[in-house]
């Protein structure tokens, strides 16, 4: 709770007792619960500022922005975006412009106070965050730069959710789970959020700005609409928008964008917090954005040492009485859980509530069963897997998620969704929770040989048919699922920019997966990016890659020789050989349109490095180079580009 010296004379003796770990956790928990008894609220002023500088150097004083308050603030929290747009800054995450802007900030601070530098954090496109404890309050500050372009508001929503999910801080106590952004007392979020003004022509927007009719304009603000629908920034508030949009200006002026794109003005630069008051300064003309600032007065919990000492002593005496009389005990809301229709890469969760029905707090943990390495199967997780329950109850999420590592054995029926969890109480007994489910087989995580034998969608086939690999008169040359994805991209995405590089939407991937597994549609749904990502996920999930593991060494030894490459390909199992030729023919077809899609051999080789098959990446990259010269002399008889895409 606090990095201070023990204030009880007998504390060292108490901490030496056998159950020190449990007692210490209990004391911390009780101190938190009774925090109001030994703390009082003191207000501190926080200056929050955000500025997209568009890669420019500081040319003007920042004082009109940073020193605009009557009295100096207690804290400065300043966020910059696009500090350096050079390739070197992107690759090495280092820029000489950072010291220049830091110096400009120092010079622009309020002159009536002295400030100490605390922390800086660099990044590129996404978010950086810091957390700190001030007295007894935890504060998290996030600086984010979300996806651009008017139509990409859903991508910005997803960026926000990904930042909240992936941004984690390691606690001082490594036995505790990581801290997320939303686990703090105060969260301050600022940056270039890139939400735009929708459904209005640019001239209409400028006319409303000229009339200072910001209320009408604000009703078309994407962030306001998304917050009203509780899609993003749930629980956050924002100050009144009573200033003109901060984006986009001609650099170095107050004139709206006069470039060919003539972008619609928008409030891209935002500050969200648990308070009020935001004010905007229009004096700086360095960037195509304008800086935004907000002065917040935040109530901080400050410890009264005498009250803290009394509370601590009362808690210790109370714990002593409880430990002498009671042992821990809990009851569970449910002992058996069944997950219906589990699908590949589709998260499902159910909640078990653990009630502390005993007289003392308890420490719980899921423990492995005899001779098992983990407390659960790899497709299952409990969150939290351990914890401390003082009184009342705690919800534990039982989460099922089948990925590339667990799908193959579930598809083949070698494994089922069945497990028993053992919930152990420290100094108490064990409780058993049964988890079952039915998994819907998927082409994702199935072998190429199996899929070539299946004439019908995989979910229309009995499990024993899939498991026994029935012989057919003539197996398909390649799995129909690969053909559907490649055929879709061949027809629709040959000229698509950033193909295989821009991720798709999770919801569209799920539709594509269901379409392939059930045969419910003749054409694939979703965008080209979602289909291309589905193809990569399909290849990544193969139990045996297109180039089987046993061929890796040979591939590396001969990949610089085109004739030896073709010899290796001829030795592959028939379905693997067909798929390899089919995919490389498709990649060669994409290279014909490189002037439009901006793909080259290196990009097509590198993209597979994000997945499991490094060897295949190297081999394909070199094979394509070799084929580029070979194809000038002759074409593949069976898998020429034309025949490849008419085979079905």
């Amino acid at each position: 709770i606090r990095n201070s010296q023990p204030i009880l004379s007998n504390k060292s003796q108490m901490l030496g007792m056998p159950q020190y770990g449990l007692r210490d956790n209990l004391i911390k928990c009780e101190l938190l619960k009774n925090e109001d008894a030994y703390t009082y609220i003191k207000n501190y002023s926080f200056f929050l500022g955000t500025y997209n500088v568009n890669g420019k150097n500081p040319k003007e004083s920042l004082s009109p922005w940073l020193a605009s308050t009557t009295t100096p603030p207690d804290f400065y929290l300043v966020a910059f975006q696009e500090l350096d747009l050079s390739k070197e800054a992107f690759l090495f995450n280092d820029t000489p412009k950072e010291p220049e802007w830091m110096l400009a900030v120092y010079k622009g601070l309020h002159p009536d106070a002295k400030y100490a530098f605390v922390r800086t954090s660099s990044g590129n496109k996404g978010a950086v965050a810091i957390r700190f404890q001030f007295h007894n309050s935890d504060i998290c500050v996030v600086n984010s730069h979300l996806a651009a372009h008017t139509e990409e508001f859903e991508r910005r929503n997803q960026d926000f959710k990904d930042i909240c999910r992936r941004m984690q801080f390691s606690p001082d106590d490594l036995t505790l789970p990581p801290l997320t952004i939303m686990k703090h007392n105060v969260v301050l979020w600022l940056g270039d959020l890139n939400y735009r003004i929708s459904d209005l022509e640019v001239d209409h927007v400028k006319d409303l700005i000229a009339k200072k009719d910001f209320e009408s304009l604000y009703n078309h603000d994407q962030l306001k609409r998304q917050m009203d629908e509780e899609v993003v920034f749930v629980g956050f508030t924002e100050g009144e928008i009573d200033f003109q949009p901060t984006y986009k200006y001609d650099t170095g002026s107050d004139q709206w964008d006069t470039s060919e794109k003539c972008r619609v003005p928008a409030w891209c630069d935002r500050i969200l917090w648990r308070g009020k008051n935001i004010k905007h300064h229009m004096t700086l003309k360095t960037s195509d954005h304008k800086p935004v600032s907000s002065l917040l007065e935040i109530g901080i919990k400050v410890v009264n040492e005498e009250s803290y000492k009394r509370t601590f002593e009362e808690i210790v005496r109370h714990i002593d009485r409880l430990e002498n009389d009671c042992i821990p005990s809990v009851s569970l809301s449910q002992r058996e859980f069944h997950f219906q229709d589990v699908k590949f890469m589709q998260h499902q969760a159910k909640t078990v509530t653990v009630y502390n029905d005993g007289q003392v707090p308890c420490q719980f943990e899921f423990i492995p069963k005899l001779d098992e390495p983990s407390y659960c199967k790899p497709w299952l997780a409990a969150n939290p897997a351990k914890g401390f329950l003082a009184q009342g109850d705690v919800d534990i999420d039982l989460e099922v998620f089948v990925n590339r590592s667990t799908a193959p054995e579930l598809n083949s029926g070698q494994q089922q969704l069945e497990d028993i969890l053992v919930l152990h109480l420290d100094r108490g007994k064990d409780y058993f929770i049964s988890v079952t489910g039915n998994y819907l087989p998927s082409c994702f995580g199935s072998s190429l040989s199996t899929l070539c034998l299946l004439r019908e969608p995989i979910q229309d086939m009995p499990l024993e048919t899939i498991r026994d690999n029935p012989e057919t008169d003539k197996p398909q040359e390649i799995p129909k699922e690969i053909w559907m994805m490649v055929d879709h991209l061949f027809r629709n995405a040959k000229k698509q920019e950033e193909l295989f590089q821009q991720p798709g939407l999770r919801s569209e991937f799920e539709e594509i997966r269901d379409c392939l597994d059930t045969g419910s549609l003749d054409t694939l749904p979703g965008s080209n990016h979602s289909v291309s990502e589905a193809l990569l996920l399909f290849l990544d999930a193969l139990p045996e890659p297109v180039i089987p593991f046993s061929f890796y060494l040979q591939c590396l030894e001969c990949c610089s020789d085109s004739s030896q490459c073709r010899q290796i390909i001829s030795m592959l199992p028939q379905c693997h050989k067909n798929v390899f030729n089919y995919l490389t023919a498709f990649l060669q077809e994409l290279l014909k349109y490189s002037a439009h899609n901006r793909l080259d051999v290196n990009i097509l080789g590198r993209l597979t490095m994000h997945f499991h098959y490094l060897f295949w990446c190297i081999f394909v990259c070199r094979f394509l180079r070799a084929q580029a010269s070979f194809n000038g002399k002759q074409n593949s008889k069976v898998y020429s580009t034309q025949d490849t895409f008419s085979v079905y």
Side-chain angles (χ1 to χ4, degrees):
I1 303 300
R2 296 163 63 246
N3 292 325
S4 60
Q5 295 295 322
I7 48 182
L8 286 182
S9 59
N10 65 341
K11 188 174 183 182
S12 59
Q13 180 181 356
M14 178 190 76
L15 298 183
M17 296 174 66
Q19 296 301 324
Y20 157 65
L22 177 62
R23 287 176 60 87
D24 190 50
N25 282 333
L26 176 57
I27 291 171
K28 291 179 180 180
C29 184
E30 290 296 308
L31 283 171
L32 284 175
K33 188 173 67 175
N34 294 279
E35 195 174 38
D36 292 342
Y38 58 86
T39 61
Y40 62 94
I41 299 298
K42 183 177 180 180
N43 290 327
Y44 290 86
S45 57
F46 288 69
F47 179 97
L48 277 65
T50 179
Y51 192 7
N52 183 320
V53 300
N54 193 30
K56 307 298 181 183
N57 295 322
K59 297 179 180 179
E60 302 175 77
S61 171
L62 302 185
S63 295
W65 176 40
L66 299 176
S68 58
T69 58
T70 305
T71 58
D74 297 308
F75 287 85
Y76 275 102
L77 305 172
V78 184
F80 289 104
Q81 303 85 44
E82 297 191 356
L83 201 68
D84 192 334
L85 300 178
S86 66
K87 293 181 179 179
E88 291 77 13
F90 178 79
L91 292 173
F92 302 110
N93 201 27
D94 186 29
T95 170
K97 292 187 178 182
E98 183 174 321
E100 295 182 38
W101 280 100
M102 287 291 294
L103 181 60
V105 169
Y106 286 138
K107 291 181 178 179
L109 298 178
H110 202 291
D112 295 341
K114 293 183 179 180
Y115 293 94
F117 171 76
V118 177
R119 179 69 187 270
T120 183
S121 184
S122 299
N124 189 304
K125 213 61 166 174
V128 293
I130 62 171
R131 69 173 301 272
F132 59 94
Q133 184 170 352
F134 184 51
H135 289 288
N136 254 42
S137 292
D138 292 319
I139 300 173
C140 182
V141 187
V142 183
N143 171 20
S144 66
H145 190 184
L146 307 186
H149 306 305
T150 302
E151 69 278 3
E152 294 290 347
F153 67 93
E154 289 185 343
R155 178 67 59 189
R156 289 186 276 279
N157 295 346
Q158 188 63 47
D159 286 347
F160 168 79
K161 295 173 184 176
D162 289 342
I163 292 167
C164 291
R165 176 176 57 86
R166 297 173 59 184
M167 186 74 72
Q168 295 184 337
F169 302 92
S170 298
D172 293 334
D173 185 350
L174 298 180
T175 64
L176 298 177
L179 286 170
T180 59
I181 292 173
M182 299 305 174
K183 293 293 185 182
H184 294 78
N185 303 127
V186 177
V187 179
L188 308 172
W189 198 302
L190 59 164
D192 182 358
L193 305 189
N194 254 321
Y195 286 93
R196 308 300 175 91
I197 292 172
S198 300
D199 306 327
L200 290 178
E201 296 295 331
V202 61
D203 291 337
H204 190 185
V205 171
K206 292 179 180 179
D207 182 59
L208 290 174
I209 295 172
K211 296 177 181 178
K212 296 188 181 300
D213 188 359
F214 301 129
E215 181 177 357
S216 299
L217 195 60
Y218 186 52
N219 289 329
H220 292 270
D221 177 70
Q222 289 179 342
L223 180 55
K224 177 184 183 301
R225 290 180 173 180
Q226 297 301 298
M227 290 179 67
D228 289 345
E229 295 176 10
E230 297 188 346
V231 178
V232 292
F233 289 102
V234 177
F236 283 81
T237 57
E238 184 177 27
E240 181 181 358
I241 302 292
D242 58 357
F243 53 88
Q244 71 182 42
T246 58
Y247 171 87
K248 179 183 192 312
Y249 297 84
D250 288 343
T251 301
S253 73
D254 290 333
Q255 185 173 356
W256 298 116
D257 181 23
T258 59
S259 68
E260 181 180 349
K261 295 183 179 179
C262 192
R263 294 176 178 85
V264 178
W267 288 292
C268 289
D269 309 282
R270 309 294 273 267
I271 298 175
L272 296 99
W273 71 99
R274 302 174 187 266
K276 299 179 180 179
N277 301 324
I278 181 170
K279 57 184 177 181
H280 179 222
H281 305 278
M282 295 292 295
T283 56
L284 292 184
K285 301 181 179 65
T286 302
S287 173
D288 57 352
H289 288 244
K290 298 299 180 184
V292 173
S293 65
S294 175
L295 184 67
L296 303 184
E297 191 172 79
I298 300 177
I300 299 296
K301 295 179 179 179
V302 181
V303 173
N304 180 296
E305 291 295 336
E306 289 299 320
S307 299
Y308 178 84
K309 179 179 179 180
R310 288 195 301 270
T311 304
F312 189 94
E313 291 172 344
E314 291 173 2
I315 290 173
V316 171
R317 285 194 295 268
H318 178 64
I319 293 174
D320 287 342
R321 289 193 299 269
L322 292 177
E323 278 195 333
N324 291 333
D325 299 333
C326 303
I327 60 172
S329 173
V330 301
S331 59
L332 307 182
S333 61
Q334 193 174 340
R335 297 290 188 95
E336 297 181 355
F337 292 86
H338 182 76
F339 290 83
Q340 187 71 25
D341 295 340
V342 176
K343 298 179 180 180
F344 176 79
M345 286 189 69
Q346 188 170 48
H347 177 269
Q348 285 196 34
K350 294 181 182 293
T351 301
V352 54
T353 303
V354 180
Y355 302 91
N356 187 345
D357 56 9
Q359 299 299 312
V360 292
C362 60
Q363 196 159 294
F364 64 87
E365 180 180 6
F366 287 97
I367 60 174
K369 297 177 285 294
L370 186 63
D371 297 329
E372 293 193 4
S374 177
Y375 72 87
C376 66
K377 297 289 179 62
W379 44 263
L380 177 63
N383 187 21
K386 61 180 178 179
F388 184 77
L389 183 55
Q391 60 183 9
D393 57 69
V394 63
D395 289 338
I396 299 176
D397 292 330
L398 304 180
E399 301 175 340
V400 169
F401 187 76
V402 176
N403 58 19
R404 59 177 297 274
S405 64
T406 53
E409 291 189 337
L410 290 170
N411 285 331
S412 64
Q414 294 175 276
Q415 291 286 340
Q416 289 79 38
L417 295 180
E418 296 178 355
D419 201 2
I420 300 292
L421 297 179
V422 181
L423 182 64
H424 172 73
L425 296 188
D426 187 19
R427 298 184 303 125
K429 64 178 184 178
D430 295 338
Y431 300 80
F432 300 92
I433 301 174
S434 171
V435 178
T436 60
N438 70 295
Y439 179 69
L440 299 180
S442 175
C443 63
F444 291 84
S446 295
S447 68
L448 293 177
S449 59
T450 296
L451 293 174
C452 284
L453 294 172
L454 301 181
R455 292 287 182 178
E456 301 298 325
I458 193 168
Q459 288 185 12
D460 290 347
M461 304 292 290
L463 182 60
E464 57 272 15
T465 302
I466 302 172
R467 181 176 59 245
D468 296 339
N469 287 332
E471 294 185 3
T472 59
D473 294 338
K474 184 181 179 182
Q476 299 177 98
E477 294 186 2
I478 65 172
K480 55 188 177 300
E481 294 82 4
I482 291 182
W483 175 82
M484 288 186 68
M485 290 185 282
V486 172
D487 181 67
H488 178 98
L489 296 174
F490 176 73
R491 287 185 288 104
N492 301 299
K494 288 182 290 188
K495 298 181 179 181
Q496 177 74 57
E497 289 192 21
E498 296 188 345
L499 190 67
F500 294 113
Q501 298 174 82
Q502 178 175 319
L505 294 175
R506 175 53 60 91
S507 59
E508 291 182 352
F509 165 74
E510 293 177 354
E511 293 176 1
I512 295 168
R513 176 205 59 210
D514 292 347
C515 178
L516 295 174
D517 289 342
T518 63
S520 56
L521 296 174
D522 293 331
T523 58
L524 293 179
S527 67
N528 293 335
H529 295 299
S530 295
V531 175
S532 65
E533 184 173 16
L535 176 60
L536 293 177
L537 288 172
F538 179 93
L539 297 173
D540 184 51
L542 289 173
E544 182 81 8
V546 176
I547 302 295
F549 295 113
S550 58
F551 285 83
Y552 276 9
L553 183 58
Q554 293 172 270
C555 288
L556 288 178
E557 291 175 346
C558 74
C559 60
S560 60
D561 187 306
S562 60
S563 61
Q564 292 187 33
C565 286
R566 290 190 295 277
Q567 183 178 359
I568 290 293
I569 295 170
S570 68
M571 297 167 57
L572 300 180
Q574 189 62 46
C575 62
H576 288 254
K577 177 172 65 177
N578 294 346
V579 169
F580 180 88
N581 284 326
Y582 186 69
L583 291 175
T584 51
F586 171 59
L587 297 181
Q588 288 176 295
E589 190 71 18
L590 289 180
L591 292 177
K592 293 180 180 180
Y593 298 88
S594 60
H596 300 280
N597 57 38
R598 303 187 185 281
L599 292 173
D600 57 34
V601 171
N602 291 326
I603 292 176
L604 292 177
R606 283 199 307 269
L607 65 91
T608 56
M609 293 185 69
H610 294 288
F611 297 89
H612 180 62
Y613 306 108
L614 174 61
F615 289 96
W616 187 42
C617 157
I618 298 172
F619 186 59
V620 168
C621 186
R622 295 182 180 177
F623 180 80
L624 285 174
R625 288 195 179 114
Q627 282 291 88
S629 60
F630 177 74
N631 281 344
K633 302 176 182 178
Q634 65 180 72
N635 290 316
S636 169
K637 181 178 180 180
V638 178
Y639 284 95
S640 66
T641 303
Q642 180 179 357
D643 291 339
T644 298
F645 298 105
S646 62
V647 68
Y648 285 90

